């Protein structure tokens, strides 16, 4: 199950979010994707990571088969060219990145390899 909530005026690109979620976390995993703005992103980032600035994506495991992903659409739009991506593809990359964090992966070559395979699979 995947629920998507957009709390912004920004537009979330049309991507196969459910298929990506199922590929990484499985069909039984209940995921909430919430699109937020800079103010909420900064508040969450400060509260949970101790960083007083907005960030493009945050993920929170809630239970064994349940989690949340927050994507700051405005920050993501600003960050996309810095990372060499068009905005829609960057949203897909951030979502995949967050999925692997929910799966238990930490930053490193193993996680990057998994992400690269999924990015290629979904042609992002």
């Amino acid at each position: 199950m995947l629920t998507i909530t957009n709390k912004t005026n920004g537009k979330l690109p049309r991507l196969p979010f459910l298929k990506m979620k199922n590929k990484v976390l499985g069909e039984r995993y209940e995921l909430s994707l919430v699109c937020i703005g800079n103010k909420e992103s900064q508040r969450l980032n400060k509260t949970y990571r101790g960083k007083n600035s907005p960030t493009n994506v945050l993920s929170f495991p809630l239970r064994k088969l349940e989690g949340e992903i927050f994507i700051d659409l405005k920050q993501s739009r600003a960050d996309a060219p810095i990372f060499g991506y068009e905005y829609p593809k960057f949203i897909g990359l951030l979502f995949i990145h967050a999925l692997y964090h929910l799966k238990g992966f930490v930053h490193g070559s193993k996680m990057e390899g998994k992400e690269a395979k999924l990015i290629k699979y979904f042609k992002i």
Side-chain angles (χ1 to χ4, degrees), residues 9-64:
N9 292 330
K11 188 173 181 182
L12 184 65
R14 292 181 56 122
L15 292 166
F17 292 108
L18 179 62
K19 288 180 181 177
M20 289 188 280
K21 187 273 301 179
N22 288 344
K23 189 91 170 150
V24 176
L25 301 171
E27 291 184 17
R28 292 181 44 222
Y29 196 96
E30 293 184 26
L31 180 64
S32 172
L33 170 60
V34 184
C35 301
I36 56 175
N38 285 140
K39 191 180 281 189
E40 180 71 1
S41 169
Q42 183 170 347
R43 185 188 70 74
L44 290 170
N45 204 23
K46 185 175 183 183
T47 300
Y48 294 100
R49 298 180 66 226
K51 297 184 178 187
N52 193 20
S53 60
T55 187
N56 48 36
V57 67
L58 292 164
S59 59
F60 300 97
L62 302 175
R63 294 183 189 88
K64 185 178 179 182

